[in-house]
Amino acid sequence: MAGLASGLLTGCGTENGGNGAGGSGIVVGVPDDVLATDPASGYDPGSWLLFNNAFQSLLSFPEGATEPQPDAAESCGFTSAPAEEGISGKVEVTPWSTPSRYGPATDQELKAIAGRLNASGLFDADVRSVPFARYEKDIAAGRYGAYVKGWVPDYPDAGNFTGPFFGEGNVLDNDYGNSTITGTLLPRTAAESDRAATDREFGRIQDIVAEDVPVLPVWQAKQYAVVQDGVYGLEYCLDASTVFRFWELRKA
């Protein structure tokens, strides 16, 4: 995926303006509400439809295929990555969990991840689960190398997914700190009233976090609501703020 994204950012079109796969070109219409023209900052479907028709990637999946084929690349080959010199045996890792705070399936989800790690033959992962009261104390004391945390945003803004995680005294208690984030980027984004003007700063935060990897997103939950016939207003109860507005519900 990283290679594909890199190819998308650096690739260029063919001399005849085609898509690199031969044959005649296909023109696909896009909606008017494209939010970005930079693949590094656009995530909405309209923007990606534009990117896919404007940029050439290193690799692409032919229709119905499961193996990527060269696009901008001259060839496509896959080999097993060699083991790092000086490393022998499996890497032991203990992911820590708590069974109640972040949902009853948290332990099972971490065990599924550990199973995938062990299946690679490179890791010896063993999940441990403890009550939440002990869990928080042990995290604060620095006793866990890898542990799960959950997060629900208080408001629909990128700042709610950056400052609490990477600012001073963050909620993760992982002793991670980056002077560029805490000293420059977070203060600059917090002082900007035009939230659309913070894209560059938040993008830089993303780049730093992706390189340092102090936290690894694992899954994202969704909200669901079901009503019976004769109950109206549900469409106004849920949005990106994660606040459920019960007062919008009414009966016929």
Side-chain angles (χ1 to χ4, degrees):
M1 183 169 65
L4 180 61
S6 176
L8 181 63
L9 298 179
T10 61
C12 57
T14 57
E15 292 182 359
N16 60 8
N19 60 9
S24 60
I26 299 177
V27 178
V28 179
V30 298
D32 293 334
D33 56 348
V34 173
L35 302 182
T37 56
D38 181 358
S41 60
Y43 302 98
D44 59 288
S47 296
W48 274 99
L49 187 59
L50 171 65
F51 302 154
N52 289 336
N53 284 275
F55 301 106
Q56 187 180 38
S57 57
L58 285 176
L59 305 174
S60 63
F61 285 88
E63 184 176 355
T66 58
E67 289 291 333
Q69 300 296 323
D71 191 357
E74 293 183 357
S75 62
C76 177
F78 303 92
T79 59
S80 299
E84 294 289 340
E85 294 183 4
I87 297 179
S88 60
K90 298 180 180 180
V91 177
E92 295 184 0
V93 58
T94 304
W96 288 87
S97 178
T98 187
S100 57
R101 174 66 175 177
Y102 307 116
T106 304
D107 286 356
Q108 288 78 6
E109 288 163 336
L110 280 193
K111 288 178 181 178
I113 294 172
R116 295 295 298 272
L117 292 174
N118 292 337
S120 70
L122 301 176
F123 294 90
D124 182 8
D126 182 22
V127 177
R128 304 287 180 86
S129 181
V130 296
F132 183 66
R134 174 187 165 186
Y135 187 73
E136 288 290 279
K137 292 179 181 178
D138 286 350
I139 289 176
R143 293 176 180 153
Y144 300 156
Y147 51 91
V148 63
K149 282 276 194 175
W151 185 254
V152 177
D154 300 306
Y155 49 87
D157 185 87
N160 206 227
F161 291 92
T162 50
F165 293 164
F166 315 116
E168 296 180 359
N170 66 72
V171 299
L172 300 178
D173 285 326
N174 60 356
D175 293 325
Y176 173 75
N178 182 285
S179 59
T180 301
I181 293 179
T182 57
T184 302
L185 298 176
L186 287 180
R188 190 176 295 171
T189 57
E192 179 57 68
S193 59
D194 181 4
R195 304 311 292 161
T198 60
D199 284 356
R200 184 182 298 275
E201 284 78 12
F202 281 125
R204 178 60 182 142
I205 294 175
Q206 285 183 315
D207 291 340
I208 294 173
V209 172
E211 183 175 349
D212 293 348
V213 199
V215 60
L216 184 64
V218 177
W219 67 83
Q220 178 176 328
K222 295 183 179 180
Q223 287 184 315
Y224 296 92
V226 180
V227 297
Q228 63 184 12
D229 292 342
V231 177
Y232 302 93
L234 180 64
E235 63 271 22
Y236 304 112
C237 291
L238 293 173
D239 61 16
S241 69
T242 72
V243 176
F244 193 95
R245 301 180 178 88
F246 288 99
W247 56 89
E248 296 288 354
L249 294 175
R250 65 185 187 280
K251 287 187 176 182

